[in-house]
Each structure stands twice: as structure tokens, then as C-alpha cells.
Amino acid sequence: MTPVPPPAEELRLIDAELWQLDARRVQLLARRAWLLGLLSSPPQPGAVPPAAAAAPQRPEATAPRVQNVLLLLGGLLLTIAAVAFTLVGWGHLGIAGRSLVLGAVTVAALAAPLPLLKRGLRSTAEAVAGLALALTVLDAYALHAVALTGVDATAYAAWASAVLAAVWSGYGLLPRVRTLRLPLPAALTAAQLPLPLGAVAADAGTLAITGALLLTAALDTAAALRAPAGLIRITATAGAYGVGAWGALGAVWLSWTAGGPGAGARAAALLVFAAGVALAAAWRDRAAGHAVGLSIAAGLLAVIALGGVVRPVLPAVWAVPAHLLLGVALLAAVRADRLPERVRRGLAVASAAVQGLAVLWTLPLLALTLLGPAGWAAQVWSGAPSGARQAVSVSAPWLPWALPAPLVLATVATVLVLAIRSEAWRPKALTGALVLGWAAVVVVPMVTDLPYPAVLVMESLTTAVLLAMATRPRLTERTGTLPALVLALLTSFSLALLSLPTKFATVAVLTALTALFAGVSRKRRLAAVTVPAALGYGAAWACAVGAAAGWAPQRTALLVLLVPAVAALFAARNADARTTVVAEVTGAAAGLLAIGLALGDPAVLSLTLGLCAAILAGTALRADRRPAAHAATALFALAAWVRLAAWGVTAPEAYTAPVSVVALVLGVLRRRRDPQASSWVAYGPGLAATLVPSLAAACTDAYATRPWLLGAAALLVTLTGARHRLRAPLLLGGGVLVLDALHELAPYLVQITGLLPRWAPPALAGLLLLAVGATYEQRLRDVRRARDVLSRMN
């Protein structure tokens, strides 16, 4: 269906558009006249504007679109009818009649586009040509169903598709038919089948079928490069990509499953052929995206091809290193000036892909090296392993296929250092080389199965070297200090896990790590990372020392408290806010660890809580850490309560009185610093902390000692509040005093109520109401005076 109509059709469309514009202009002029009349004179009842529907409705589809839809539907219906005739009504005619009908219809359909094109009906000619091509397919089917039933179906399909491709090509190249768009793309589509189907029919094997696919893709590539832009090039390109990908995957499978050098060489020949086709297409294709993609495919196919040749003669563990070397060899082609830039870029990406896949192949061994020793956590101090492999494979199997991993990592690291010279990519390349070199050094002891002490020494030296690099800005000028620090932390973590099999190794390694990170913490730019690491390893060292000495966990908790104490001292002397925060957070975590260890012994737990409170109190002396005083107070109170509970004390005053004393002292200090502070804020919490629990205990106490003492204390608080005109002591003390008195007088009030007659309570209530009513004004004045007095109190 052509989007450009012939001149006669285009002229008709222009006339139709002009007619519509004229109709719209008439409609707008009528509307304008009506609006002018509406503005010049009031509207008459029942007057309506000229109907907008008077103008012709705008069509929802253009004439060419309607035409194409009709032609397409007509062609489809005729094709369906032809198929139905061939499959269903074929048996009602004789051989001569069948041949005559199909031949006549096909010839008529093939000849019909000629007069249609002569009259300028190109779209109709396209539809009829499509019907004709479908009829030729039906002719081929009918021929096999009637005259060639003994011929193999696959072989016949191969020959029929070749004949159809030739016939459609010749038909599409006729002088007048050449303007049609369907025949040549249809011929290209049919041309995809002869070679693969022929190979299948000949039972030539997977190798021949794959070669047929690749040869077909090569022919498609040549057609795509030579064809002008349009449907022919699109069809050829789609065939080249689709059939070529299918054939390339088959060749890769043949290469990976090759059982010997001969099979590998045959598969390599197919892969080299495919790579050559892709490279030639990339060389000649002017589209940068296609060229780069084809160059990547060519490079990968070449590496797989050559790797398939050498892999059968090498041990299985060396397959990945062999492919890696071939991938690195692609970089030599990248430096060839004769190749176009887009081709070199694609080959460079292919080389990077091969190297990246090789690095991914080494990751399981690296993960086993770093995390495998964690299995010793369930077997702490159970005895030193015989070698490095046993040390890392305590809870996971060893990976025998990963023996060349250090060589792979070192090779890629060397390529990154030597091959990438761009200023934009140089820092990233050096960072990658540092990471890969570290990984190679870490896995070497495991691959070579060094003795267990040698592994500890080597990882200790690796950690020290990385920290030394981080402290030297000149060494990390391009990569930065963060990669070296992170790698040092990872190595130290793995080293700490590796030290778990023996008691001596654990204590020695944790001591060395604590000292090492503490020493590096003198560098201010590294302290935010090294300080928490040193404190964390210090806490682990304290636990290890306590366990090695045979101490109970409660006693070890006191040794762990050295870590939060050191963290608090460091934070007080440090000027960097970020380092201070991470040090305090790490110290707090160590304090929680100490509290957890002391949970089994109330006496030690009370001491631990008190020491933590003392550390927090010291932290609160800093001007920017005043809120720590609240936590210190809470821990002091909790420590006292734990101690009292251990002594079997049940009196609530023993728990609340120390808290009240501390809170009242703090309230006095605050009032001195800020005389405008409310007494509720300064003294309310401290007074309520003791008075309220004591009042609750007095209500359930069978003896009078507690209520009398509580009443005396409440009276003292009330008098103090009245003396200093403080609202909180006056109201809290008075309220507790009244409630305590009511509790003490409650039995007597109950007895008096039982002796009074039933009319007495109503009478007393009436007298009270009369008294209140008689002195209402005086009482209001007294209430106002009391309110003024209370409001003047601070």
C-alpha cells in the first residue's frame, strides 16, 4: 500500500478538502451574522442559532485509508476462498479441471496488476499482486498433493520455496511490476527456507543445518547491504538477524559440546564464518548502532571459535583462562588504525565482555574465601585446620574448578592498568585493577592450600598494606582512599573469622587488628571508618580474652565496658563531628553488649548499668551532649533498682526516693540558672516520682506507719511550697495530704454514716446548699483572692 497516491487521486483529494473548507467557511459566516444580530437587538423568544449540523459532517477516516482497508479485506477474502477451494472443493473436479482452474486464476491474478498500474490504480494492483503470490503457494501445495505425493514433504518444501523465490523475484523485476512493493520482499522471505530445509531433508546433521542457516544469513546480509532503503532492506535485515542468530547459537552449542579437536575445529569454522559476515557487515554498515552491535557479535564469536579449538586439548579448569586470553587478544585488533572507529569500539566492548565473564567465574571462590570461615562460629576453638582449603570450606565444599582464578584476576587487572589510558576512564580502571589485584592476593593461599599460620600471616600483611596505602595520599591519588579502606575492612573481617579455630590465633589476631586500626585512626581523614573498626575489634578482643581466661560472661562484661569508655574519651577530644558520632554509636553498641553479657548476675548487672551511667554522665558534661544526662539518670536509677531487687527490697520508696533526690537537685540547679522556669518542670517530676507510688502503697498498707510518714512528708512539701510560693509543691503535697487523710479517716466516716438516720444526708446537703447560696458572693471573692495568690507563686 503506497502512502503517495497517483496524481489523479491526489487531485481528487485536494478537491474534497477544498470543498470541506468552503462548507466550513459558509457555516462560520452564518454563525457570525447571527451573533451580530444578537448583539444589535434583543433575542426573540424561541429564536435559535443556525444549526451547526447544517454543514456536512467531518469524515472520521480519510479516503486513502478507506481504500486500503477495502483492498486489504478483498484480498484476504479472495485468498481465504482460494484456500477453501483448494483444500475442500478440490476433490469434485478432475485432474484437468483442477489444473485449469488454478492455473487460470493464478495467471489472471499475476497479469491483473499490469492494467491496474497502467490506469494509476497502484493500491489495487498491490492487493491483487498479494493475492497472486498466495495463489502460487496454493499451486505448489496442490501440485504436491496430486502429482507428487511420493516426494518427501521436507525436500519438496525446500525445492518449492526456492522455485517460489525465483518466480517472485522474476515477477517483481518485470518492467511494469517493478513498482510494486510486495513481490521482492516476498521472494526474500521465501529464500530463507531452501537451504535449511534442504539440509534437514538430506539428513545432513546438525553441523550442515547450522551451516545452511549461516549461509542463508550471509546471503541476507549481502542483500541488506546492497538493497536500497525500504521494505526490501527491512526484510533482508530481519532475515539476517533472525536466521543468523539461530545459526550462531547452533554453532556455539556445537563448539561447547565438541568432544575432540576435530569437532571443535568444524564448529570453529562455522563460528569464524559467522564472525566474518558480522564483521564485514559492520565495516560496510553506515549506521553506528548496527555497526557496534555487529562488531561485538563478531568479537564474541571469534573468541568462542578459537576457544572451541583449544578447549578439547586442555584440562577443563583451564577453559575460562584460555577464552580470557583470546578476549584480551581482541585488544590488538582494537589498536589497528585501519579498522573504522565503530568497529574498534565494538571489538573493545566484546573484549570487555569476555573479561567480565571471566571475573564473574571467579566470584564463587572469592565469596568462599571471605565468608567460608564463618562456619567456625559454630566450632570456636575446636582446633587448627590442616590448610587453607580446610579453613575456608568448613561449612561449604571446596571448588576444585576454580584453581586458575588468581591468574584470571591478575590478567584482567593487568589489562586495566595497561590498556586504558583515557583520562576520563583511568581512575576507574585503576580502582578496578586494585580490587582485582586484591582478590587475586586473597584467593592465592586457598588455591595453593598454604598452611594455616601462613594464611593468617598473609591476610594480616594484606590488611596492613591496604591501610598503609590509604594513609598515603600519593598512592591513592587516582583511586581515592575509600576503595583501599573497604578492601582492608573486608580482609580484616575474613582474617577475624579465620582466627576462630584456635584460642591463641583469635586473641592474637584481634589484638593486632585493634592496634592496627587504632594506629591508623590518627589520620583524621580515615578516622570515620577506622575508629568504629578499632572499637568493634576491641569489643571482640575483650570477649575473646574473657573467654580465654575462663571468666563467666558477667565478668567479661566489665572488660567490654572499656570500649564505651575509650569511645567517650575519644569523642570528647575529637573535633570531627562525623567521626564523633560513629565512635559514640559504636561505644553505645559495645555498652549494650556488656549489659547483655551481665544479665545472668543481678549484682554485676547493677554495676554494669552504673558504669554505663557514669560514662554517659561524663559525656553529658560536654555542651553539645547535654541530653545524655537524661539517659545517665535513667541508667543510674535502673542500676539502683536492680541492686535493690537483688537484695529483696520491696518498699517502693527505696526505688523512687533516689530518683526523686536526683531530679530535685537537677530542678534546683535549673531554677538557679533560669529563674523563670516553672516549678512544675523543675520539681514536679521529682516529687511525683515518690509521692504517687507511696500513696498507692499506703492505700494497701495494713499498718499506720507508712500513711503517717507519707502525711508528714506531704505536709512538709505543702508548707515548703507555701513558704516559697511554688505551685507544684503546694498542690502536689496538699493533694497527697488530703487523699492520705481521707484514707485514714475512711473507717470512721463509714461508722458515722451508719449511725446517722436516713434523713440526715439530705438535710445536710440542703443546709450546705443554703450556706453556699447565702455566701455565694463572698465565696467568689475568696476564690478570686486564692487564685491571685496562686498565680503570683512561681
Side-chain angles (χ1 to χ4, degrees):
M1 305 301 177
T2 176
V4 180
E9 181 65 20
E10 186 176 1
L11 180 61
R12 185 184 66 79
L13 295 175
I14 292 174
D15 291 339
E17 292 292 335
L18 291 175
W19 179 81
Q20 291 182 6
L21 291 175
D22 290 339
R24 181 61 177 167
R25 185 172 183 276
V26 171
Q27 178 189 5
L28 293 176
L29 288 175
R31 179 70 177 178
R32 180 176 181 276
W34 181 81
L35 291 175
L36 289 175
L38 182 64
L39 294 175
S40 60
S41 61
Q44 299 297 326
V48 294
Q57 295 183 353
R58 185 178 181 181
E60 296 182 355
T62 61
R65 182 172 298 177
V66 173
Q67 164 196 300
N68 292 337
V69 171
L70 293 177
L71 292 175
L72 180 60
L73 290 175
L76 288 176
L77 290 175
L78 289 174
T79 303
I80 293 172
V83 172
F85 170 76
T86 305
L87 298 178
V88 179
W90 186 259
H92 299 291
L93 298 176
I95 297 178
R98 301 169 189 172
S99 304
L100 181 62
V101 170
L102 271 182
V105 173
T106 304
V107 171
L110 290 173
L114 298 177
L116 292 174
L117 290 173
K118 188 175 181 180
R119 292 176 175 271
L121 302 176
R122 183 173 180 179
S123 298
T124 306
E126 291 279 6
V128 176
L131 174 62
L133 298 180
L135 288 174
T136 56
V137 177
L138 292 176
D139 289 336
Y141 168 77
L143 181 61
H144 180 264
V146 175
L148 302 176
T149 55
V151 179
D152 180 67
T154 305
Y156 179 79
W159 284 105
S161 58
V163 172
L164 288 176
V167 170
W168 291 349
S169 299
Y171 180 72
L173 294 176
L174 292 176
R176 290 187 180 180
V177 184
R178 187 175 299 173
T179 57
L180 296 178
R181 303 175 63 189
L182 288 179
L184 292 181
L188 278 175
T189 304
Q192 311 301 312
L193 302 176
L195 293 179
L197 290 179
V200 172
D203 198 13
T206 307
L207 186 69
I209 295 173
T210 305
L213 290 171
L214 293 177
L215 182 57
T216 303
L219 296 175
D220 290 333
T221 303
L225 293 175
R226 296 177 60 87
L231 189 57
I232 299 176
R233 177 182 290 182
I234 293 174
T235 305
T237 303
Y241 277 116
V243 180
W246 191 7
L249 290 176
V252 170
W253 181 79
L254 289 173
S255 177
W256 279 102
T257 57
R266 288 190 292 270
L270 295 178
L271 289 170
V272 169
F273 175 74
V277 172
L279 187 61
W283 196 308
R284 295 196 52 185
D285 196 348
R286 285 169 287 185
H290 285 280
V292 173
L294 291 170
S295 300
I296 295 173
L300 294 177
L301 290 175
V303 170
I304 297 173
L306 298 179
V309 174
V310 300
R311 187 178 60 255
V313 299
L314 292 176
V317 296
W318 293 99
V320 172
H323 285 81
L324 174 62
L325 294 178
L326 294 173
V328 173
L330 281 179
L331 296 176
V334 173
R335 296 188 176 276
D337 296 333
R338 296 181 58 185
L339 294 176
E341 174 63 25
R342 55 186 181 272
V343 175
R344 287 187 290 165
R345 187 162 65 248
L347 293 178
V349 173
S351 176
V354 174
Q355 297 177 59
L357 291 174
V359 171
L360 289 177
W361 175 77
T362 65
L363 290 184
L365 178 60
L366 181 60
L368 180 65
T369 302
L370 296 178
L371 303 178
W376 290 104
Q379 307 176 31
V380 177
W381 299 349
S382 59
S386 59
R389 296 182 184 178
Q390 184 181 358
V392 299
S393 60
V394 61
S395 59
W398 172 248
L399 306 175
W401 48 264
L403 292 179
L407 178 61
V408 171
L409 294 168
T411 301
V412 178
T414 304
V415 170
L416 288 176
V417 173
L418 299 179
I420 300 180
R421 297 294 182 179
S422 172
E423 289 298 326
W425 289 92
R426 186 66 175 172
K428 298 179 181 178
L430 293 178
T431 302
L434 174 63
V435 174
L436 294 175
W438 162 81
V441 171
V442 168
V443 300
V444 161
M446 315 309 162
V447 171
T448 56
D449 198 15
L450 291 179
Y452 175 68
V455 177
L456 296 179
V457 172
M458 191 167 182
E459 291 212 355
S460 300
L461 292 176
T462 303
T463 305
V465 169
L466 289 170
L467 289 176
M469 290 178 59
T471 58
R472 302 292 180 89
R474 185 176 59 183
L475 297 177
T476 58
E477 181 179 358
R478 290 294 189 92
T479 61
T481 59
L482 184 60
L485 273 180
V486 172
L487 296 178
L489 287 174
L490 289 175
T491 310
S492 65
F493 180 72
S494 175
L495 176 61
L497 294 177
L498 279 172
S499 68
L500 294 178
T502 65
K503 184 184 303 184
F504 174 77
T506 302
V507 176
V509 166
L510 292 177
T511 303
L513 291 178
T514 303
L516 189 60
F517 280 95
V520 177
S521 298
R522 293 179 299 175
K523 298 292 183 179
R524 184 173 179 180
R525 60 191 180 87
L526 307 179
V529 177
T530 57
V531 166
L535 294 174
Y537 286 126
W541 170 85
C543 295
V545 169
W551 296 350
Q554 297 84 355
R555 189 176 178 185
T556 304
L558 300 178
L559 184 61
V560 175
L561 284 178
L562 290 174
V563 175
V566 172
L569 293 175
F570 174 82
R573 299 172 59 110
N574 185 62
D576 184 34
R578 184 177 57 177
T579 306
T580 300
V581 170
V582 296
E584 291 174 342
V585 170
T586 309
L592 292 176
L593 174 61
I595 293 173
L597 292 173
L599 287 177
D601 189 342
V604 179
L605 177 60
S606 175
L607 178 59
T608 303
L609 291 171
L611 293 176
C612 290
I615 295 172
L616 282 173
T619 302
L621 295 177
R622 294 160 47 195
D624 57 339
R625 292 293 186 269
R626 298 298 187 201
H630 302 292
T633 303
L635 287 178
F636 273 126
L638 187 59
W641 292 350
V642 171
R643 173 59 67 178
L644 292 173
W647 287 340
V649 177
T650 59
E653 291 81 8
Y655 294 89
T656 58
V659 178
S660 295
V661 171
V662 174
L664 290 174
V665 171
L666 293 176
V668 171
L669 295 176
R670 179 168 183 178
R671 290 272 296 176
R672 287 182 180 179
R673 188 171 63 251
D674 183 13
Q676 301 300 323
S678 172
S679 62
W680 287 106
V681 176
Y683 307 122
L687 293 173
T690 296
L691 292 177
V692 174
S694 297
L695 179 61
C699 293
T700 58
D701 199 342
Y703 302 97
T705 304
R706 187 189 300 275
W708 281 101
L709 292 176
L710 177 62
L715 179 61
L716 180 60
V717 171
T718 303
L719 294 177
T720 303
R723 171 68 180 81
H724 296 283
R725 296 183 180 182
L726 298 175
R727 187 179 302 175
L730 179 62
L731 296 181
L732 282 175
V736 172
L737 181 61
V738 170
L739 294 175
D740 184 62
L742 288 175
H743 174 265
E744 290 300 308
L745 296 176
Y748 302 101
L749 294 176
V750 171
Q751 293 178 6
I752 294 172
T753 304
L755 295 175
L756 292 177
R758 293 186 178 182
W759 53 265
L764 292 175
L767 290 175
L768 179 60
L769 292 175
L770 288 176
V772 172
T775 59
Y776 185 72
E777 184 177 1
Q778 180 65 31
R779 296 295 180 268
L780 287 178
R781 187 166 58 250
D782 293 341
V783 171
R784 294 191 186 98
R785 186 180 296 114
R787 185 188 62 188
D788 294 338
V789 171
L790 290 175
S791 64
R792 286 195 298 271
M793 294 181 181
N794 291 325

